[in-house]
Each structure stands twice: as C-alpha cells, then as structure tokens.
Amino acid sequence: MKKTLILASASPWRCAMLEQAGLLVLAEPANIDERAIDTALEGPGTGPDDLALILAEAKAMAVSERHPDALVLGADQVLSLEGETLHKSRDFEEARRRLLQLSGKTHRLNSGLVLCRGGKTLWRHVSVAEMTMRDLDPGFIGRYLAHAGQAVLGSVGAYQIEGPGIQLFERIDGDYWTIVGLPLLPLLTQLRAMGAIDG
C-alpha cells in the first residue's frame, strides 16, 4: 500500500484482517452513537443495506474530518431476520434470547464499506451473506455461551464463526469476509482501481 489507510473503527479483528492482507493500517474509532442513528432511521424505507452503508459512512466521515488528506475506511454490519433489524446483545440473557430467536431460521448479514477522503465519499459497497442456524437446544445454547464468553456480546448475532459459533450453523451462503464484517475482495479491487495499492 502506498499510504496508510485509516480504519474508522476500534475493532482489532478488522484491523488485523487488513494488515494480514498486506495493507498499512491505522485504527481510529469514530466515536459515533450507532444506536441513535439506528433509532432515527427505523421504519419503512430504510432497509438493512441502507443502514449498513449509512453507519459505515457516518464512521468514515467522522474520522475523515479529523484527517482530511487520508483515505478512511468505514465498515458496519447489520443483521436482519424476517424484516427486523437486530442489534448487539447487552448481556448474556439477551444473547440467549437472540440465539433462540435465530434458531432454525435464516438471517442475513449486510456488511457495508465506505471509503472517504477530505470529507467526501469516494466509494460505497454492501455484501450480503445468508446464515441458516440449525435447531438449537436451549441447553446447548447455555453451554455455548459459557464456552464462548464475552466475545458473543461484540457480535450482532451473538456468535463468531471464526470460533465455536460455527457449530450453530447448518448452512452458510456468502463469503467468510462478508460474514466477519469486512468484505475484503471488493475493497481490494477498489483500492487497486484508485491506485492506492499495487496491482
């Protein structure tokens, strides 16, 4: 990479994925109130794709204003089930209810990416994955949560497929990078097209 990419996030996972792909990355949290944005946009007319992009863009813009000459990446992921947008669980009881709600059903993960520079949006992208959970026994859910620990509270679906969360699933349609919230292949394609990385 010719210049450092600023990731508008405190996510160590996203930062590590970008670094593993060979990019020079500086992580800087956007410090926006995601819940307030969610609440303001609830209702008809704003789908999961839109919400993922709006949140990713809000993050990228907030950091871009502090670093006007830098290329800034914002990323966000939205989970939807049967038309309802779901949020991260606040505690283990809410995570348990979330997994019961998702059990035996197919939900969608919409992963949005936005690149900004100088307070202007240069590129927006959404990738979608469909995740089908197997029918989960309540006892298994309890054991899973005890094993997975605090990490489940950092995931909108109360799972991380890169760990024991993979055991919750019967079928996955979509690429790994979309599922973990950073669709790398379209991002790398765009960075090459912009001349930001060698290619």
Side-chain angles (χ1 to χ4, degrees), residues 4 10 66 69 74 77 86-87 95 126 132 139 147-148 150 152 166 173:
T4 299
R66 299 193 294 261
D69 296 328
Q77 188 176 64
L86 305 178
H87 304 285
V126 176
T132 303
H147 178 69
Q150 286 290 122
V152 301
I166 192 64
D173 295 303

Side-chain angles (χ1 to χ4, degrees), residues 6 9 27 30 33 51 56 66 68-69 86-87 98 105 119 121 128 131 158 179 195:
I6 298 180
S9 172
D33 187 344
L51 186 54
R66 299 193 294 261
D69 296 328
L86 305 178
H87 304 285
R98 170 66 40 78
K105 298 175 184 169
T121 299
V128 179
M131 314 283 289
I179 296 162

Side-chain angles (χ1 to χ4, degrees), residues 126-194:
V126 176
S127 290
V128 179
E130 292 194 344
M131 314 283 289
T132 303
M133 276 198 183
R134 60 190 183 83
D135 289 317
L136 302 175
D137 172 84
F140 175 79
I141 290 175
R143 292 188 299 277
Y144 160 73
L145 290 172
H147 178 69
Q150 286 290 122
V152 301
L153 302 181
S155 165
V156 71
Y159 60 79
Q160 292 175 313
I161 67 157
E162 62 271 29
I166 192 64
Q167 294 190 40
L168 305 173
F169 291 93
E170 179 178 291
R171 180 183 172 93
I172 293 174
D173 295 303
D175 69 76
Y176 174 82
W177 306 109
T178 296
I179 296 162
V180 296
L182 188 70
L184 265 179
L185 294 179
L187 174 63
L188 294 172
T189 298
Q190 180 61 27
L191 291 173
R192 278 191 293 272
M194 294 168 67

Side-chain angles (χ1 to χ4, degrees), residues 3 5 13 29 35 44 51-52 61 65 69 73 88 93 113 122 142 147 155 176 187 190:
K3 290 187 178 179
L5 174 69
W13 295 102
R35 260 317 155 84
L51 186 54
M61 283 294 195
E65 288 172 5
D69 296 328
L73 173 66
K88 289 178 184 175
E93 177 55 27
L113 297 178
L122 305 177
H147 178 69
S155 165
Y176 174 82
L187 174 63
Q190 180 61 27

Side-chain angles (χ1 to χ4, degrees), residues 56-57 60-74 114-124 194:
E57 191 164 18
M61 283 294 195
V63 174
S64 182
E65 288 172 5
R66 299 193 294 261
H67 302 278
D69 296 328
L71 187 60
V72 179
L73 173 66
V114 173
L115 287 170
C116 292
R117 182 184 285 126
K120 294 182 181 176
T121 299
L122 305 177
W123 178 75
R124 302 167 94 221
M194 294 168 67

